[in-house]
Amino acid sequence: MRRVLIPGLVLAAISAGPFGAAGQDMETMTTGSGILAPTPAKVQIWTNKLGYVTGGQMTLRVAVDPMQDETPYTLFLYRENIETGERMYLDSMPNSNALSEEVQDASGKMGDMIEALPLAATSASASAWSGSVPQAGLWQFVAEVRSMDMTQVVKRAYAKFVVTQNVPEVFGADGTDTEISTDTTWSNDTIYKIQYQVFVNSGATLTIEAGTLILAEGQNAVIVVEKGAKIMAEGRREAPIVMTCDADVGQRDSGCWAGLIILGNAPMTRGEGRAEGVIPETRPVYGGDDPMDSSGVLRYVRVEFAGVDFNPETQPNAFGFHGVGAGTVIDHIQAHEGEDDGIEFFGGTANCTYCVSSGSKDDSLDWAFGWQGTAQYVFIQQNPTGENGIEADNDSLGFDRTPRSHPTLYNVTMVGGVAQDEQSTSGDGMRIRVGTAVTARNVLMTGFGGDAIDVLDNSPGLFADGTSSIMNSIIHANGGQMGDAQLKGGVAASIGYVDTDPMLVNVRYEANPDPRPMVGSYAHKIGAAATPPSDGVLDTSAQCIGAFCNGENWLEEWTFFGDELDYDVQ
């Protein structure tokens, strides 16, 4: 297989403002297949909590760093009701508690008095606004940077929060399990607190409304969807479902709770397995003979600060998909700051689209025990001190056990720790071992501290005989090496890639990365990417290398990024 090294252009890293706690909108600035970011400025906005009860008090914080950009912009700060669109503007920044229905910029100027100025650096140590929480509903504060004439949105940052007039519903405060045995709905007008195991029993469906906030704390705080049960968690981009640590923003830690475990009836190498991190260990049974089994829907769902590390053998993940079948919809999910792996598939045939794993202390994406699903549009941002971007196995009890792990991956962007912090100790990009196969196309991998791809055990033979293949990819600057030196296991001849700077906008480990390739990136070159097959699962229009085609940053608004310390003002 021919490999080409292409000298990359020398471009400064360009940062973006935070999402989930912040986001960015540069659709009006799109050019061709890539984008030219209009400003390197960072804009970060967040509230001290993600959920409030009416009558309480709240604090908003904004941090701006112009990053040496002296271009004049207009800056607006406003509070918006997500459901009604009702908008109130803050009339100054920082240290003002006034809100107005009149359109005004962040300095309180209106109409013809609004003046474009270079962004001023502000510190989050002083609150931008504090006061009483609004009426019950789904809300957001937005920091909007516009062009001089106010006609183009250059950057938009979000701080979403829920207000309820109901007392939070608490599960497991007494250390006992919660059994959901009949169809149940968790609505966004209530905050749910999980302190011990919650089981959705076979035959029952747990429906979670868009915008619902679930707070959890404790090593046994976990949601388990059992075989034969369903979870219908259908969030929206503007109203994601958030499962996170029960602590103030800036004070949350990875491993705060155990995470979300889904048990299905699809095949796995051992016929039947037991999921880790559930008491008693005999209860979380998964695996069967139905590849089309459905465990429900996960759409626009974030699982944050999960993955308790009980011991080396018991480490539940943020998202644990165990024997989950292809009838399950997994679309737009994010695992953030997990103590162990972010997303792991244990057997099954589940497919995943628009999947994000960021900040995991161990591996970002993991599979074992015969996973044969498909993943497309995958973004991995490795924790600078984490392990591997992807760690993949078949079965340690028998490398050739069937069904053999053999997922299909298309349009994957993987950013290692070194790309974010030169002091990073992050591991390999892909560690493929223990008999797993893989078919991967349109992979963009850069900045891992270890090897780009390390193939171990009997898995190299699967590349040699054509069972496994990785093609139409960019592999650049991993392990301080160039070209084939980035690849281990004797598989270089079976991997089709170019070694060139992918020219990503911003991938630093901070709020709101923007991993889109810029104009001129090889990722957009005609003919460089493979066209996904028309199999009814893959999006055939994704004809670029990496997860960000057509100039869209699909991370905007619903995700959350950055070190938690970046949100801590104490």
Side-chain angles (χ1 to χ4, degrees), residues 268-355:
M268 57 94 69
T269 55
R270 301 181 184 183
E272 217 173 58
R274 302 288 189 276
E276 298 176 344
V278 180
I279 302 172
E281 295 180 355
T282 56
R283 179 163 185 176
V285 177
Y286 69 93
D289 58 4
D290 183 4
M292 294 306 298
D293 184 43
S294 175
S295 296
V297 176
L298 296 177
R299 183 173 281 126
Y300 288 103
V301 176
R302 295 203 320 258
V303 173
E304 303 172 343
F305 306 99
V308 172
D309 189 357
F310 287 103
N311 57 61
E313 301 301 322
T314 305
Q315 298 172 322
N317 310 294
F319 286 95
F321 296 108
H322 302 256
V324 175
T328 307
V329 175
I330 305 172
D331 175 61
H332 288 87
I333 65 168
Q334 182 189 16
H336 179 65
E337 284 279 356
E339 181 67 20
D340 194 57
D341 300 333
I343 301 171
E344 184 159 5
F345 293 92
F346 299 85
T349 53
N351 304 314
C352 185
T353 56
Y354 298 101
C355 297

Coordinates of all heavy atoms in Angstrom, one line a residue, residues 268-355:
M268 N -22.8 -12.4 21.6 CA -21.4 -12.1 22.1 C -20.6 -13.4 22.1 O -21.2 -14.5 22.0 CB -21.5 -11.4 23.4 CG -22.2 -12.1 24.5 SD -21.1 -13.1 25.6 CE -20.1 -11.8 26.4
T269 N -19.3 -13.3 22.3 CA -18.4 -14.5 22.1 C -18.7 -15.6 23.2 O -18.3 -16.7 23.0 CB -17.0 -14.1 22.2 OG1 -16.7 -13.3 23.4 CG2 -16.6 -13.2 21.0
R270 N -19.2 -15.2 24.3 CA -19.3 -16.2 25.4 C -20.8 -16.6 25.6 O -21.1 -17.3 26.6 CB -18.8 -15.6 26.7 CG -17.3 -15.2 26.6 CD -16.7 -14.7 27.9 NE -15.3 -14.3 27.7 CZ -14.6 -13.8 28.7 NH1 -15.0 -13.7 29.9 NH2 -13.3 -13.5 28.4
G271 N -21.6 -16.2 24.6 CA -23.0 -16.6 24.7 C -23.8 -15.7 25.7 O -24.8 -15.2 25.4
E272 N -23.2 -15.6 26.9 CA -23.8 -14.8 27.9 C -22.7 -14.2 28.8 O -21.7 -14.8 29.0 CB -24.8 -15.6 28.8 CG -26.0 -14.9 29.2 CD -26.9 -15.9 30.0 OE1 -26.5 -16.4 31.0 OE2 -28.1 -16.0 29.5
G273 N -22.9 -12.9 29.2 CA -21.9 -12.3 30.0 C -22.5 -11.6 31.2 O -23.8 -11.5 31.4
R274 N -21.7 -11.0 32.0 CA -22.1 -10.2 33.2 C -21.4 -8.9 33.1 O -20.2 -8.8 33.0 CB -21.7 -10.9 34.5 CG -22.3 -12.3 34.7 CD -23.8 -12.3 35.0 NE -24.2 -13.7 35.3 CZ -24.6 -14.6 34.5 NH1 -24.4 -14.4 33.2 NH2 -25.0 -15.8 34.9
A275 N -22.2 -7.8 33.2 CA -21.7 -6.4 33.2 C -21.0 -6.1 34.5 O -21.4 -6.6 35.6 CB -22.8 -5.4 32.9
E276 N -19.9 -5.3 34.4 CA -19.2 -4.9 35.6 C -19.8 -3.8 36.3 O -20.5 -3.0 35.7 CB -17.7 -4.5 35.2 CG -16.9 -5.6 34.5 CD -15.6 -5.1 34.1 OE1 -15.4 -3.9 34.0 OE2 -14.7 -5.9 33.8
G277 N -19.6 -3.8 37.6 CA -20.0 -2.6 38.4 C -21.4 -2.7 38.9 O -22.0 -1.6 39.3
V278 N -22.1 -3.8 38.9 CA -23.4 -4.0 39.4 C -23.5 -5.0 40.5 O -22.8 -6.0 40.5 CB -24.4 -4.4 38.2 CG1 -25.8 -4.5 38.7 CG2 -24.3 -3.4 37.1
I279 N -24.3 -4.7 41.5 CA -24.4 -5.6 42.7 C -25.8 -6.2 42.7 O -26.8 -5.5 42.5 CB -24.2 -4.8 44.0 CG1 -22.8 -4.2 44.0 CG2 -24.4 -5.7 45.2 CD1 -22.7 -3.2 45.2
P280 N -26.0 -7.5 42.8 CA -24.9 -8.5 42.8 C -24.4 -8.8 41.4 O -25.0 -8.5 40.4 CB -25.6 -9.8 43.4 CG -27.0 -9.6 42.9 CD -27.3 -8.2 43.0
E281 N -23.2 -9.3 41.3 CA -22.5 -9.5 40.1 C -23.3 -10.5 39.2 O -23.1 -10.5 38.0 CB -21.1 -10.0 40.3 CG -20.2 -9.0 41.0 CD -18.8 -9.6 41.2 OE1 -18.6 -10.7 40.8 OE2 -17.9 -8.8 41.6
T282 N -24.1 -11.3 39.7 CA -24.9 -12.3 38.9 C -26.1 -11.7 38.2 O -26.7 -12.3 37.4 CB -25.4 -13.4 39.8 OG1 -26.2 -12.9 40.9 CG2 -24.2 -14.2 40.4
R283 N -26.4 -10.4 38.6 CA -27.7 -9.8 38.1 C -27.6 -9.3 36.6 O -28.5 -9.5 35.8 CB -28.2 -8.7 39.0 CG -29.4 -8.1 38.5 CD -30.2 -7.3 39.5 NE -31.4 -6.8 39.0 CZ -32.3 -6.2 39.7 NH1 -32.2 -5.9 41.0 NH2 -33.5 -5.8 39.1
P284 N -26.5 -8.5 36.3 CA -26.5 -7.8 35.0 C -26.2 -8.7 33.8 O -25.1 -8.7 33.2 CB -25.4 -6.8 35.2 CG -24.5 -7.4 36.1 CD -25.3 -8.2 37.1
V285 N -27.1 -9.6 33.5 CA -26.8 -10.6 32.4 C -27.1 -10.0 31.1 O -28.1 -9.2 30.9 CB -27.8 -11.8 32.6 CG1 -27.6 -12.8 31.5 CG2 -27.5 -12.5 34.0
Y286 N -26.3 -10.3 30.1 CA -26.5 -9.8 28.7 C -26.0 -10.9 27.7 O -25.3 -11.8 28.0 CB -25.8 -8.5 28.5 CG -24.2 -8.6 28.4 CD1 -23.6 -8.8 27.2 CD2 -23.5 -8.5 29.6 CE1 -22.2 -8.9 27.2 CE2 -22.1 -8.6 29.5 CZ -21.5 -8.8 28.3 OH -20.1 -8.9 28.3
G287 N -26.5 -10.7 26.5 CA -26.1 -11.6 25.4 C -27.2 -12.5 25.0 O -28.0 -13.0 25.9
G288 N -27.4 -12.8 23.7 CA -28.4 -13.8 23.3 C -28.2 -14.1 21.8 O -27.1 -14.1 21.3
D289 N -29.3 -14.2 21.1 CA -29.2 -14.6 19.7 C -30.0 -13.7 18.8 O -30.4 -14.1 17.7 CB -29.7 -16.1 19.6 CG -31.2 -16.3 20.1 OD1 -31.8 -15.2 20.5 OD2 -31.6 -17.4 20.1
D290 N -30.3 -12.5 19.2 CA -31.1 -11.6 18.4 C -30.3 -10.4 18.0 O -30.2 -9.4 18.7 CB -32.3 -11.1 19.1 CG -33.2 -10.2 18.3 OD1 -32.9 -10.0 17.1 OD2 -34.3 -9.7 18.8
P291 N -29.6 -10.4 16.8 CA -28.8 -9.3 16.4 C -29.6 -8.0 16.1 O -29.0 -6.9 16.2 CB -28.2 -9.8 15.1 CG -29.1 -10.9 14.6 CD -29.6 -11.5 15.8
M292 N -30.9 -8.1 15.9 CA -31.7 -6.9 15.7 C -32.4 -6.5 17.0 O -33.3 -5.6 16.9 CB -32.7 -7.1 14.6 CG -32.1 -7.4 13.2 SD -31.0 -6.0 12.8 CE -32.1 -4.6 12.7
D293 N -32.0 -7.0 18.1 CA -32.6 -6.6 19.4 C -32.6 -5.1 19.6 O -31.6 -4.4 19.2 CB -31.9 -7.3 20.5 CG -32.5 -7.1 21.9 OD1 -33.7 -7.1 22.0 OD2 -31.8 -6.8 22.8
S294 N -33.6 -4.5 20.2 CA -33.7 -3.1 20.5 C -33.8 -2.9 22.0 O -34.6 -3.4 22.7 CB -34.9 -2.5 19.8 OG -35.0 -1.1 20.2
S295 N -32.9 -2.0 22.4 CA -32.9 -1.5 23.8 C -33.4 -0.1 23.9 O -33.4 0.5 25.0 CB -31.5 -1.6 24.5 OG -31.1 -3.0 24.5
G296 N -33.9 0.4 22.8 CA -34.6 1.8 22.8 C -33.8 2.8 22.0 O -33.2 2.5 20.9
V297 N -33.8 4.0 22.5 CA -33.2 5.1 21.7 C -32.4 6.0 22.7 O -32.8 6.3 23.8 CB -34.3 6.0 21.1 CG1 -33.7 7.2 20.4 CG2 -35.1 5.2 20.1
L298 N -31.1 6.3 22.3 CA -30.3 7.4 22.9 C -30.0 8.4 21.9 O -29.3 8.1 20.9 CB -29.0 6.8 23.5 CG -29.1 5.8 24.6 CD1 -27.7 5.3 25.0 CD2 -29.8 6.3 25.8
R299 N -30.5 9.6 22.0 CA -30.3 10.7 21.1 C -30.0 12.0 21.8 O -30.8 12.4 22.7 CB -31.5 10.8 20.1 CG -31.3 11.8 19.0 CD -32.5 11.8 18.0 NE -32.3 10.7 17.1 CZ -33.2 9.8 16.8 NH1 -34.3 9.8 17.5 NH2 -33.0 8.8 15.9
Y300 N -28.9 12.6 21.5 CA -28.5 13.8 22.2 C -28.5 13.6 23.7 O -29.2 14.2 24.5 CB -29.4 15.0 21.8 CG -29.1 15.5 20.4 CD1 -30.0 15.2 19.4 CD2 -28.0 16.2 20.1 CE1 -29.8 15.6 18.1 CE2 -27.8 16.7 18.8 CZ -28.7 16.4 17.8 OH -28.5 16.8 16.5
V301 N -27.6 12.7 24.1 CA -27.4 12.3 25.5 C -26.0 12.5 25.9 O -25.1 12.0 25.2 CB -27.9 10.8 25.8 CG1 -27.6 10.4 27.2 CG2 -29.4 10.7 25.4
R302 N -25.7 13.2 27.0 CA -24.4 13.3 27.6 C -24.3 12.5 28.9 O -25.2 12.6 29.8 CB -24.0 14.8 27.9 CG -23.9 15.7 26.7 CD -23.0 16.9 27.0 NE -23.2 17.5 28.2 CZ -23.9 18.7 28.4 NH1 -24.5 19.2 27.5 NH2 -23.9 19.2 29.7
V303 N -23.2 11.8 29.1 CA -22.9 11.1 30.3 C -21.6 11.6 30.8 O -20.6 11.4 30.1 CB -22.9 9.6 30.2 CG1 -22.4 8.9 31.5 CG2 -24.3 9.0 29.9
E304 N -21.5 12.3 31.9 CA -20.4 13.1 32.3 C -19.9 12.6 33.7 O -20.7 12.2 34.6 CB -20.7 14.6 32.5 CG -21.2 15.2 31.2 CD -21.6 16.6 31.5 OE1 -21.9 17.0 32.6 OE2 -21.8 17.4 30.5
F305 N -18.5 12.5 33.9 CA -17.9 12.3 35.2 C -18.3 10.9 35.8 O -18.4 10.8 37.0 CB -18.2 13.4 36.1 CG -17.9 14.8 35.6 CD1 -18.8 15.6 35.0 CD2 -16.6 15.2 35.6 CE1 -18.5 16.8 34.5 CE2 -16.2 16.5 35.0 CZ -17.2 17.3 34.5
A306 N -18.5 9.9 34.9 CA -18.9 8.6 35.4 C -17.7 7.7 35.4 O -16.6 8.1 35.2 CB -20.0 8.1 34.5
G307 N -18.0 6.4 35.5 CA -17.0 5.3 35.3 C -16.1 5.1 36.5 O -14.9 5.3 36.5
V308 N -16.7 4.7 37.6 CA -16.0 4.4 38.9 C -15.0 3.3 38.7 O -15.2 2.3 38.0 CB -17.0 4.0 40.0 CG1 -16.2 3.5 41.2 CG2 -17.9 5.2 40.3
D309 N -13.8 3.5 39.2 CA -12.7 2.6 39.1 C -12.7 1.8 40.4 O -11.9 2.1 41.4 CB -11.4 3.3 38.9 CG -10.2 2.3 38.6 OD1 -10.5 1.1 38.6 OD2 -9.1 2.8 38.3
F310 N -13.5 0.7 40.5 CA -13.6 -0.1 41.7 C -12.2 -0.8 42.0 O -11.7 -0.8 43.1 CB -14.6 -1.2 41.6 CG -16.1 -0.7 41.7 CD1 -16.8 -0.5 40.5 CD2 -16.6 -0.3 42.9 CE1 -18.1 0.0 40.6 CE2 -17.9 0.1 43.0 CZ -18.7 0.3 41.8
N311 N -11.7 -1.5 41.0 CA -10.4 -2.2 41.0 C -10.1 -2.5 39.6 O -10.8 -2.3 38.7 CB -10.6 -3.5 41.9 CG -11.6 -4.4 41.4 OD1 -11.5 -4.9 40.2 ND2 -12.6 -4.7 42.2
P312 N -8.8 -3.1 39.3 CA -8.4 -3.3 38.0 C -9.4 -4.2 37.2 O -9.4 -4.2 35.9 CB -7.0 -4.0 38.1 CG -6.5 -3.5 39.4 CD -7.8 -3.3 40.3
E313 N -10.2 -5.0 37.8 CA -11.0 -6.0 37.1 C -12.5 -5.5 37.0 O -13.3 -6.1 36.3 CB -11.0 -7.3 37.8 CG -9.6 -8.0 37.8 CD -9.0 -8.2 36.5 OE1 -9.8 -8.5 35.5 OE2 -7.8 -7.9 36.3
T314 N -12.8 -4.4 37.8 CA -14.2 -3.9 37.8 C -14.2 -2.4 37.6 O -13.9 -1.7 38.5 CB -14.9 -4.3 39.2 OG1 -14.8 -5.7 39.4 CG2 -16.3 -3.9 39.2
Q315 N -14.5 -2.1 36.3 CA -14.4 -0.7 36.0 C -15.5 -0.3 35.0 O -15.3 -0.4 33.8 CB -13.0 -0.4 35.3 CG -11.8 -0.6 36.2 CD -10.5 -0.5 35.5 OE1 -10.4 -0.9 34.4 NE2 -9.5 0.0 36.2
P316 N -16.7 0.0 35.5 CA -17.8 0.4 34.6 C -17.4 1.7 33.9 O -16.7 2.5 34.3 CB -18.9 0.6 35.6 CG -18.3 0.9 36.9 CD -17.0 0.1 36.9
N317 N -18.0 1.8 32.7 CA -17.7 2.9 31.8 C -18.8 3.9 31.8 O -19.9 3.6 32.3 CB -17.5 2.3 30.4 CG -16.5 1.2 30.4 OD1 -15.3 1.4 30.6 ND2 -17.0 0.0 30.0
A318 N -18.6 5.0 31.2 CA -19.6 6.1 31.1 C -20.8 5.5 30.3 O -21.9 5.5 30.9 CB -19.1 7.3 30.4
F319 N -20.6 5.0 29.1 CA -21.6 4.2 28.4 C -21.1 2.8 28.3 O -20.1 2.6 27.6 CB -21.8 4.8 27.0 CG -22.5 6.1 26.9 CD1 -21.8 7.3 26.8 CD2 -23.9 6.2 26.8 CE1 -22.5 8.5 26.7 CE2 -24.6 7.4 26.7 CZ -23.8 8.6 26.6
G320 N -21.8 1.9 28.8 CA -21.5 0.5 28.7 C -22.6 -0.2 27.9 O -23.7 -0.4 28.4
F321 N -22.3 -0.6 26.6 CA -23.3 -1.3 25.7 C -22.9 -2.8 25.7 O -21.9 -3.2 25.1 CB -23.2 -0.7 24.3 CG -23.6 0.8 24.3 CD1 -22.7 1.8 24.0 CD2 -24.9 1.1 24.4 CE1 -23.0 3.1 24.0 CE2 -25.3 2.5 24.4 CZ -24.4 3.5 24.2
H322 N -23.7 -3.6 26.4 CA -23.4 -5.0 26.6 C -24.4 -5.8 25.8 O -25.6 -5.9 26.1 CB -23.6 -5.3 28.1 CG -22.6 -4.6 28.9 ND1 -21.5 -5.1 29.5 CD2 -22.7 -3.3 29.4 CE1 -20.9 -4.2 30.2 NE2 -21.6 -3.1 30.2
G323 N -24.0 -6.5 24.7 CA -24.9 -7.3 23.9 C -26.0 -6.5 23.3 O -27.1 -7.0 23.1
V324 N -25.8 -5.2 23.0 CA -26.9 -4.4 22.5 C -27.0 -4.6 21.0 O -26.0 -4.7 20.3 CB -26.6 -2.9 22.8 CG1 -27.6 -2.0 22.2 CG2 -26.5 -2.7 24.3
G325 N -28.3 -4.7 20.6 CA -28.6 -5.1 19.2 C -28.7 -3.9 18.3 O -28.8 -2.7 18.7
A326 N -28.7 -4.2 17.0 CA -28.8 -3.1 15.9 C -30.1 -2.4 15.9 O -30.3 -1.4 15.2 CB -28.5 -3.8 14.6
G327 N -31.1 -2.9 16.6 CA -32.4 -2.2 16.6 C -32.4 -1.1 17.6 O -33.3 -0.3 17.6
T328 N -31.3 -0.9 18.3 CA -31.2 0.2 19.2 C -30.6 1.4 18.5 O -29.7 1.3 17.7 CB -30.2 -0.1 20.4 OG1 -30.6 -1.3 21.0 CG2 -30.1 1.0 21.4
V329 N -31.2 2.6 18.7 CA -30.7 3.8 18.1 C -29.8 4.5 19.0 O -30.1 4.9 20.2 CB -31.9 4.8 17.8 CG1 -31.4 6.1 17.2 CG2 -32.9 4.1 16.8
I330 N -28.5 4.7 18.6 CA -27.5 5.4 19.3 C -27.0 6.6 18.5 O -26.3 6.3 17.5 CB -26.4 4.5 19.8 CG1 -26.9 3.3 20.5 CG2 -25.3 5.3 20.6 CD1 -25.8 2.2 20.8
D331 N -27.4 7.8 18.7 CA -27.2 8.9 17.8 C -27.0 10.2 18.6 O -27.8 10.6 19.4 CB -28.5 9.1 16.9 CG -28.4 10.3 16.0 OD1 -27.5 10.3 15.2 OD2 -29.2 11.1 16.2
H332 N -25.8 10.8 18.4 CA -25.4 12.0 19.2 C -25.3 11.7 20.6 O -26.2 12.1 21.4 CB -26.4 13.1 18.9 CG -26.2 13.7 17.5 ND1 -26.9 13.2 16.4 CD2 -25.5 14.8 17.1 CE1 -26.6 14.0 15.4 NE2 -25.8 14.9 15.7
I333 N -24.3 11.0 21.0 CA -24.0 10.8 22.5 C -22.6 11.3 22.8 O -21.7 11.3 21.9 CB -24.2 9.3 22.9 CG1 -23.1 8.4 22.2 CG2 -25.6 8.8 22.5 CD1 -23.0 7.0 22.7
Q334 N -22.4 11.7 24.0 CA -21.1 12.1 24.5 C -20.8 11.5 25.8 O -21.6 11.7 26.8 CB -20.9 13.6 24.5 CG -19.5 14.1 25.0 CD -19.4 15.6 25.3 OE1 -20.4 16.3 25.4 NE2 -18.2 16.1 25.3
A335 N -19.6 10.9 25.9 CA -19.0 10.5 27.2 C -17.9 11.5 27.5 O -17.0 11.7 26.7 CB -18.5 9.1 27.2
H336 N -18.0 12.2 28.7 CA -17.0 13.2 29.0 C -16.4 13.0 30.4 O -17.2 12.7 31.4 CB -17.7 14.6 29.0 CG -16.7 15.7 29.4 ND1 -15.6 16.0 28.6 CD2 -16.6 16.5 30.4 CE1 -14.9 17.0 29.1 NE2 -15.5 17.3 30.3
E337 N -15.1 13.0 30.5 CA -14.4 12.9 31.8 C -14.7 11.7 32.6 O -15.0 11.7 33.8 CB -14.6 14.2 32.6 CG -13.9 15.4 32.2 CD -12.4 15.5 32.6 OE1 -12.0 14.6 33.4 OE2 -11.7 16.4 32.2
G338 N -14.7 10.5 31.9 CA -14.9 9.3 32.5 C -13.7 8.8 33.3 O -12.6 9.0 32.8
E339 N -13.9 8.1 34.4 CA -12.7 7.6 35.2 C -12.1 6.4 34.4 O -10.9 6.2 34.5 CB -13.2 7.2 36.6 CG -12.1 6.6 37.5 CD -11.1 7.7 37.9 OE1 -11.4 8.9 37.8 OE2 -10.0 7.3 38.3
D340 N -12.9 5.7 33.7 CA -12.4 4.5 32.9 C -12.6 4.8 31.5 O -12.3 5.9 31.0 CB -13.0 3.2 33.4 CG -12.3 2.0 32.9 OD1 -11.1 1.9 33.1 OD2 -12.9 1.2 32.1
D341 N -13.2 3.9 30.7 CA -13.4 4.1 29.3 C -14.6 5.0 29.1 O -15.6 5.0 29.9 CB -13.6 2.8 28.6 CG -12.4 1.9 28.7 OD1 -11.3 2.4 28.8 OD2 -12.6 0.7 28.6
G342 N -14.7 5.7 28.0 CA -15.8 6.6 27.7 C -17.0 5.8 27.2 O -18.0 5.7 27.7
I343 N -16.8 5.1 26.0 CA -17.8 4.3 25.4 C -17.2 2.9 25.1 O -16.2 2.8 24.5 CB -18.2 4.9 24.0 CG1 -18.8 6.4 24.2 CG2 -19.3 4.1 23.3 CD1 -19.0 7.1 22.9
E344 N -17.9 1.9 25.6 CA -17.4 0.5 25.3 C -18.6 -0.4 24.9 O -19.7 -0.4 25.4 CB -16.7 -0.1 26.5 CG -16.2 -1.5 26.2 CD -15.1 -1.9 27.2 OE1 -14.8 -1.2 28.2 OE2 -14.5 -3.0 27.0
F345 N -18.3 -1.2 23.8 CA -19.2 -2.2 23.3 C -18.7 -3.6 23.7 O -17.6 -3.9 23.3 CB -19.3 -2.1 21.8 CG -20.0 -0.8 21.3 CD1 -19.2 0.3 21.0 CD2 -21.3 -0.7 21.2 CE1 -19.8 1.5 20.6 CE2 -21.9 0.5 20.7 CZ -21.2 1.6 20.4
F346 N -19.5 -4.3 24.4 CA -19.2 -5.7 24.8 C -20.1 -6.6 23.9 O -21.2 -6.8 24.3 CB -19.5 -5.9 26.3 CG -18.7 -5.0 27.2 CD1 -19.1 -3.8 27.5 CD2 -17.5 -5.5 27.8 CE1 -18.4 -3.0 28.4 CE2 -16.8 -4.7 28.7 CZ -17.2 -3.4 29.0
G347 N -19.5 -7.0 22.8 CA -20.3 -7.8 21.9 C -21.5 -7.0 21.3 O -21.5 -5.8 21.4
G348 N -22.4 -7.7 20.7 CA -23.6 -7.0 20.2 C -23.3 -6.5 18.8 O -22.3 -6.7 18.2
T349 N -24.4 -5.9 18.2 CA -24.4 -5.4 16.8 C -24.8 -4.0 16.7 O -25.2 -3.5 15.7 CB -25.3 -6.3 16.0 OG1 -26.6 -6.3 16.7 CG2 -24.8 -7.7 15.9
A350 N -24.7 -3.3 17.8 CA -25.2 -1.9 17.9 C -24.4 -1.0 17.0 O -23.2 -1.1 16.8 CB -25.2 -1.4 19.3
N351 N -25.1 0.0 16.4 CA -24.5 1.0 15.5 C -24.6 2.3 16.3 O -25.5 2.6 17.1 CB -25.3 1.1 14.2 CG -25.4 -0.2 13.5 OD1 -24.4 -0.9 13.4 ND2 -26.6 -0.5 13.0
C352 N -23.6 3.2 16.0 CA -23.5 4.5 16.7 C -23.1 5.5 15.6 O -22.2 5.4 14.9 CB -22.4 4.4 17.7 SG -22.2 5.9 18.8
T353 N -23.9 6.6 15.6 CA -23.6 7.8 14.8 C -23.4 9.0 15.6 O -24.1 9.2 16.6 CB -24.7 8.0 13.7 OG1 -25.9 8.1 14.4 CG2 -24.7 6.8 12.8
Y354 N -22.5 9.9 15.2 CA -22.2 11.1 16.0 C -21.9 10.8 17.4 O -22.6 11.2 18.3 CB -23.4 12.1 15.8 CG -23.6 12.5 14.4 CD1 -24.7 12.0 13.7 CD2 -22.8 13.5 13.8 CE1 -24.9 12.3 12.3 CE2 -23.0 13.8 12.5 CZ -24.1 13.3 11.7 OH -24.3 13.6 10.4
C355 N -20.9 10.0 17.6 CA -20.5 9.6 19.0 C -19.2 10.3 19.4 O -18.2 10.4 18.6 CB -20.2 8.1 18.9 SG -21.7 7.1 18.6

